[in-house]
Each structure stands twice: as C-alpha cells, then as structure tokens.
Amino acid sequence: MKDFHYPCRERRRNRGAAGLLLPLLGSCLWAAVVGYKPVIIVHGLFDSSGDFKNLQQFINESHPGTNVTIIDLFDRSASLQPMWKQVEGFKAAIYPIMQNAADGVHFICYSQGGLVCRGILSTLSDHNVHSFISLSSPQAGQYGDTDYLKYLFPQFVKSNLYHLCYTAVGQRISICNYWNDPHHRDLYVNSSDYLALLNSERPNPNSTEWKQNFLKIQKLVLIGGPDDGVITPWQSSQFGFYDDNETVVEMQHQDLYLSDVFGLKTLAARGDLILCSVPGVQHVWWHSNETVFHTCMERWLV
C-alpha cells in the first residue's frame, strides 16, 4: 500500500495551493481504504471479543479504514463447547461479512480459534478468505501439562487425560476434540471427532472436498514461538508434533504434510505457506504484541 502514500506526498510538495491539500488527502485516504480487505478475528479458549482491542488498534493504525470484526460468540466458558458446534456458530456469523466483501476477507484466528477457522475453511465451499493467519494455534493438536489443563481437569495430567478425552463424554469438550496423545495414537485417530477428521487421519468421505475448499485461501500464515508456554509442543502452531518418544517432528516431516492430505504441501509449493516464529512471547500476549503484528501479520492484511 506504500504506492498510495508517496505520490500524494510528492504532489503536496509540488503544489503550493492550500486549497488542493484536502482533496488530495481525501483521495489518498480513499485509495488506502478501498485497498484493504475486511479482517475477521476469531478468539480462543476462555477469551472474549473484548480481549482483542489492541490487535484491532494495530490494524487500524497500519491500515486506516479497515473494517475489523471481532466475532462475539462462545466467550469464556462457552468456548468449551464442542468444536463442530462452534464452527457452525462462527460460520453463521461470518458468512454475511464474506458475502458483503466482493474482494474477499482475511482471517486472524487465535489459539483454539485457529482450529475453528480451519473447520470453517474446510467445510465452506464458497468462502472468500485470502489470508488465513493462525496465531499460536494448536494446529497439530495439544499434549501438555499446562495451567489450562490443571484448571479444567485438576484430577488429570497429560499422561492420563486420554481416559476422558477419548470417550463420547470427553468429545463434548472442545479441548478434547484436539487432544493428541502421541502414546495413544490409535485411540486419538478413532475417537477424535474433530482434529482427526480435519487432518484426514482416519477415512473421511469429505476429505477431497474439504481439501479443495481449504486451498481456496491465498496465504496460510502460521505464527508461534518457543516461549508460548501453553501450546504444547509449541511447534504444533506450525503443524509440528511429538512422535511416540515425545520428540518433535517438524511439519515438513509429518505424514499430513508429505501426503498433502489437506493441502499443506500444495500451499508450500505455491509459495503461500508462511512460518513466522517469534521468541519471548507468552501465549496470552500474542494478540497484544505490536512487534508480532508488524513482523508476522501486517503485510498479509492488504
């Protein structure tokens, strides 16, 4: 968008008539405004729309006039509801915004919200999302003894949570929909009603259609970092995950990438898969960190 600004400054220097300044400034602002697609923000576990005011401010300061919508659904404890229920709810709220955006929209989806957005992008055949920015989201699953786990399931630790998560009751809780125990892969694959389906880790009759839908995005931006403290392993934010020895296997060596089951390898081949790793950021601060915004997000929101 810099092309819009420099010519305007040049004209201003070359014309001394003060009466021309306002029309020129107005035309420059209009040029900037029409160039920015609407941005839709989807929150994560235990969050609410009010937690994203800083991110909204960053966007409006860098891209003035951008229409930013922070979806106010499944706030706080309601974010524990099953993932497919959340997908349908967020989809219903987001679809009218898409329909009113002829040039498309951008997604910024934080933490659990990144997995909600994947569900939307996979199942919505006529979405018009250009940049899908996944902000510290457990895209390959979650497996760690975090404060969240202790708060939600005080009687469990990571090694035995599968006893709850891989049951019909457990699958009614959002975090269990993407709990990925590397020591009980068979149970995960056969029990996960959400992530295992999204990743086509078990037979899914919709997998071809979902892949086609997902590949309609123009950019996939995967943001995470080693000091996150919640997403475990932190590389899950970039589709890396543990093997059965709890050694992290990076995305490029994961079966879901090598087999291109939902399009990661295709996106990489297109040059549309971006990894942005930032140290020193704890999980709850990703959406309020201005350096993260300018380094990892700003350029993809035009």
Side-chain angles (χ1 to χ4, degrees), residues 48-242:
S48 73
S49 59
D51 298 330
F52 292 81
K53 297 300 183 184
N54 287 337
L55 180 54
Q56 184 175 25
Q57 180 180 339
F58 299 154
I59 296 169
N60 287 327
E61 287 176 352
S62 62
H63 297 153
T66 300
N67 181 1
V68 180
T69 303
I70 309 168
I71 305 299
D72 189 17
L73 284 176
F74 299 101
D75 291 0
R76 306 306 183 196
S77 61
S79 64
L80 288 169
Q81 293 189 45
M83 292 294 284
W84 283 120
K85 182 176 181 179
Q86 294 193 49
V87 167
E88 293 307 312
F90 278 107
K91 188 190 300 184
I94 288 169
Y95 192 60
I97 303 172
M98 292 181 177
Q99 289 182 307
N100 289 324
D103 295 327
V105 302
H106 300 307
F107 271 4
I108 300 177
C109 308
Y110 168 65
S111 195
Q112 178 178 280
L115 286 170
V116 171
C117 288
R118 268 188 69 198
I120 294 171
L121 293 170
S122 297
T123 58
L124 188 57
S125 61
D126 58 343
H127 77 75
N128 57 357
V129 174
H130 280 239
S131 295
F132 168 29
I133 298 175
S134 173
L135 182 58
S136 190
S137 174
Q139 294 292 354
Q142 173 75 6
Y143 183 72
D145 286 322
T146 65
D147 289 340
Y148 283 77
L149 181 65
K150 294 171 188 174
Y151 172 75
L152 283 172
F153 310 111
Q155 71 274 38
F156 289 98
V157 292
K158 68 177 185 180
S159 62
N160 64 11
L161 186 58
Y162 76 93
H163 288 296
L164 170 65
C165 277
Y166 299 151
T167 66
V169 172
Q171 287 299 301
R172 297 175 189 168
I173 305 169
S174 63
I175 189 173
C176 285
N177 291 153
Y178 51 89
W179 186 254
N180 187 354
D181 188 327
H183 306 291
H184 298 91
R185 285 286 299 170
D186 288 346
L187 281 174
Y188 157 74
V189 167
N190 291 312
S191 303
S192 172
D193 290 339
Y194 191 75
L195 187 60
L197 286 176
L198 274 186
N199 288 346
S200 291
E201 291 171 296
R202 75 166 180 257
N204 174 9
N206 299 309
S207 60
T208 299
E209 179 186 354
W210 287 9
K211 179 178 179 179
Q212 291 171 347
N213 294 341
F214 187 71
L215 284 172
K216 291 178 181 177
I217 62 174
Q218 302 300 307
K219 298 289 179 186
L220 173 59
V221 184
L222 301 172
I223 304 170
D227 300 303
D228 182 276
V230 172
I231 305 304
T232 313
W234 76 264
Q235 292 92 339
S236 179
S237 60
Q238 298 173 345
F239 286 100
F241 206 71
Y242 293 130

